[in-house]
Every structure is written in C-alpha cells, then in structure tokens.
Amino acid sequence: MENSIPTDLIIEIVSRLPAKSAARCRCVSKPWRSILRRQGFTDLFLTRSKAYPRLLLAVRQDGEWSFYSTPQPQNPSEKSSLVVSAADFHIKFSKGTSGYNCSYASGLIYFHKMCIPREDEDLKRVICNPLTADNDTDHYILTLGAEELRWREIKCPFTHEPFWERICIDGVLYYSAQHGIYDVIVCFDVRSETFKFVGAESRFDQLINYKGKLGGIKLECERMFGPVELHMRVLEDVEKQEWSKYDYTLSAEIDVFNVKEYLSVHGVTATGDIVLLMKSAPARALFNAFYFNPERKTFQSVEIQGVGVDRDCKLQAFVDYVEDLSINDDAMQLKSSTF
C-alpha cells in the first residue's frame, strides 16, 4: 500500500519496545509478523536489550509464583546512593504449581518439580520463558539441536550429596556438594560430559560468576547490631585448586542495617556489582536491592516499586536478565520432550 509504514521504520521503532510489546506487534498483521520474525530483527532486538540488562525477580507466595523485572543501575559513580525503580510484571503461575525454588539461565526459568494443572499428577521438570507464559541424585542432560529431544541419564564417578547452590560458567556447571565429610564444588563439563570436584573451605551461601571465574560468597552477622561481613572466594586455578580471598564490611552502608537478617546474595552483574536482596519478606514490605562493587567501592540501594506482595513471601533474583524474542520460538521445541 502507498501509505504503509516503511519496513526499516517498523524495525527501528519495535526494536526499542519492551519484549512483551514487541511480541504483541507480531499480531498486527501478516506482513508485520513476517518482518518481526526475521532473524535480523531478532538479533537487533537482542543487541539493544544486552545494553540494558535487568534484574529478574521471582516472588513466591503460598506456592504462587510471580515474575517481575527492573533495570539494573548502570555504573553508579557515587560511593553510596539511593534510587527508586519501577518493576514490570511478566507472568504468574497458579497457586500450588510449585513449592520449590527455581533456576535461571539464558532468559529461561527452570522448575525442577512442578505440578501442571489438568495433566497427570506426577511432578515435572519444566522450562519456561517469563516473558510468556526431593533429594534426587540422578543426573540428566538434554541436548538441543539433536534429531530427538530426549533426556539422558549420565553417571558420576564419585558419590556426593548435591546442594542447591549452582551456576554455569563457560560451559561448566558448578554446584555445591558434600563428598564424605568434606564440602566441595562439583564441576560438570557440558561439552565432554565429565565430572570433577574441587575442595572448598566451607559451604558458600551463593556461587557466582565473578569476571568469568567461579566465586563463592558467604554473609555473616554475629549479632543483631553488629556489622554484616561479606566473604568472597574466587577460584583462580581449577587444577591447582587455588582460591583468592576477599573480605568486606557492609553494615555502615545505607539501608543494609534494616534488612540484614533477611539478606542474601543473588549474583554478580557483568560490571562486577554484587547484588544483595532479601530472601524473604513480610507482607507489604519494601523491596530494596543493593549493588556493591568491590573495585569501585560503590554501594547503591535501589527501592523496587510495583511488586504486589500482600502476604509473607520468598524471593529469588537473577542478574543480567536480557529480553530475547528468539527464546519464544526455541522453547517451544522443549514442549514434547520427555524423560
């Protein structure tokens, strides 16, 4: 049509919208759907999203999960500051769907035990995109791109009891475990499908990706009005099992004092900010995220508004969340996969 909007202009405008709005634009018409499903548009949208990563929030109230996201601070220069940020709502799962924690990777949320309404009563492993809608010691992997999507069981050569703390860095999955009487970090190489473990001085509260290296963080507060101590260990050499040590005191920082009994580390951003957030909160509590950068010695408190909490809740947060439209299409392949 003579008065139709030029394709380049459609791409330029829609690529600057939030992912949910951009996805809706595919429903405007068949030509728009064709344009906005092109690989070039998907790549452009992802590139622009990466420039403004977000903090993904998972809030659980009575087994009901709600997902929100909010912008992460971009290189704060002040040593201590307070800002306010609005949270965008993404999706909610019905009450009773899952009472367990979830994990996050590459824009996808993983529930290792979920009840799906109107299906059989067996708990399922579920991978989902937040933009759209047991002590098991067996190990399974699912290889994407294979002719048949199928979970395969693999054997670990040593016995150990896995814990919840885990992270994947450059194709290696690390998770906390106990090997005999010792605290260890188990390393599973996704490419070679091999296991090894490294010793740790103690079990960490959280495993992190610190500038491409495995790190572990433990928070300590000896008394109600005492300082909050942040102890970070970074694995410098896997083969030699050498760890570097860093220790910081945070209690003098803004607002940490008020919530420290609920405080937990939720990850490290690509810019090196350690993110701390409450792991649980009473009804109608204020949500604050704290960004501490050890190198720049900056500390920023972000009050997150728009998270509707009317009951006591549990909270998980995932750093450097990037909105990616291609996940919608890729995740559909997982729907028919079974164990």
Side-chain angles (χ1 to χ4, degrees):
M1 295 186 299
E2 286 188 18
N3 296 326
S4 63
I5 303 175
T7 299
D8 290 347
L9 185 57
I10 293 174
I11 292 174
E12 182 65 23
I13 293 173
V14 178
S15 65
R16 298 178 183 274
L17 295 175
K20 187 172 289 189
S21 299
R24 287 196 183 110
C25 288
R26 290 174 170 175
C27 302
V28 171
S29 65
K30 288 184 178 180
W32 277 52
R33 180 181 178 84
S34 175
I35 293 169
L36 300 180
R37 283 193 174 276
R38 294 177 183 174
Q39 190 62 45
F41 171 75
T42 301
D43 293 343
L44 175 62
F45 188 91
L46 179 60
T47 298
R48 288 183 168 170
S49 295
K50 285 181 176 178
Y52 301 98
R54 302 172 68 84
L55 183 69
L56 182 65
L57 303 173
V59 180
R60 178 163 63 87
Q61 301 178 88
D62 298 331
E64 181 179 83
W65 286 91
S66 298
F67 289 87
Y68 305 80
S69 69
T70 185
Q72 292 177 179
Q74 299 297 308
N75 298 319
S77 57
E78 298 180 25
K79 286 197 172 181
S80 184
S81 60
L82 171 66
V83 299
V84 177
S85 179
D88 295 327
F89 172 75
H90 289 299
I91 193 172
K92 177 182 289 187
F93 289 101
S94 301
K95 182 176 179 179
T97 301
S98 176
Y100 297 87
N101 288 350
C102 57
S103 301
Y104 167 83
S106 302
L108 294 174
I109 293 292
Y110 170 65
F111 293 95
H112 75 289
K113 288 185 177 180
M114 175 180 278
C115 174
I116 300 177
R118 295 184 299 276
E119 292 194 9
D120 58 71
E121 295 182 357
D122 292 337
L123 296 176
K124 301 206 177 353
R125 292 171 170 85
V126 173
I127 298 174
C128 69
N129 179 2
L131 289 176
T132 65
D134 176 340
N135 292 322
D136 188 3
T137 56
D138 293 334
H139 301 81
Y140 296 87
I141 60 173
L142 175 68
T143 303
L144 298 180
E147 292 184 5
E148 180 184 1
L149 286 176
R150 182 174 59 85
W151 290 92
R152 295 181 290 111
E153 184 177 357
I154 55 175
K155 299 295 183 182
C156 181
F158 51 87
T159 59
H160 63 280
E161 180 185 356
F163 299 133
W164 179 255
E165 302 82 33
R166 65 196 69 180
I167 192 168
C168 190
I169 303 174
D170 193 26
V172 179
L173 173 65
Y174 301 93
Y175 59 90
S176 298
Q178 189 167 39
H179 178 54
I181 62 173
Y182 301 102
D183 290 310
V184 299
I185 305 295
V186 177
C187 318
F188 174 69
D189 191 307
V190 175
R191 290 172 288 260
S192 62
E193 299 185 7
T194 56
F195 288 89
K196 68 168 62 173
F197 66 85
V198 296
E201 61 183 43
S202 64
R203 181 180 174 184
F204 297 111
D205 296 334
Q206 180 72 27
L207 298 182
I208 60 170
N209 181 344
Y210 192 73
K211 299 182 177 180
K213 298 179 180 179
L214 173 68
I217 290 183
K218 179 182 283 291
L219 292 179
E220 291 184 345
C221 179
E222 294 185 358
R223 60 187 187 277
M224 177 65 72
F225 299 102
V228 176
E229 301 288 344
L230 187 151
H231 306 288
M232 180 170 68
R233 305 294 182 257
V234 179
L235 184 60
E236 302 291 351
D237 191 305
V238 177
E239 300 302 325
K240 296 180 180 179
Q241 301 195 23
E242 294 179 346
W243 296 81
S244 56
K245 300 182 178 182
Y246 305 89
D247 300 289
Y248 307 96
T249 301
L250 301 179
S251 69
E253 306 295 354
I254 184 171
D255 288 338
V256 169
F257 184 80
N258 295 327
V259 299
K260 64 184 181 182
E261 63 267 32
Y262 301 108
L263 210 58
S264 177
V265 175
H266 290 263
V268 179
T269 69
T271 56
D273 294 317
I274 299 173
V275 181
L276 302 99
L277 212 72
M278 293 184 293
K279 55 189 173 184
S280 62
R284 292 175 291 279
L286 291 177
F287 284 92
N288 285 80
F290 306 100
Y291 294 81
F292 169 61
N293 191 291
E295 292 189 351
R296 294 197 303 267
K297 294 181 171 57
T298 57
F299 187 93
Q300 188 167 70
S301 174
V302 178
E303 181 183 319
I304 302 173
Q305 298 182 344
V307 179
V309 176
D310 55 6
R311 305 181 298 279
D312 292 355
C313 71
K314 300 293 184 181
L315 182 68
Q316 287 182 255
F318 308 98
V319 302
D320 291 334
Y321 170 63
V322 174
E323 297 181 322
D324 184 358
L325 292 176
S326 66
I327 293 176
N328 289 337
D329 300 325
D330 296 340
M332 290 299 293
Q333 300 179 49
L334 302 177
K335 191 173 182 181
S336 61
S337 64
T338 58
F339 290 88

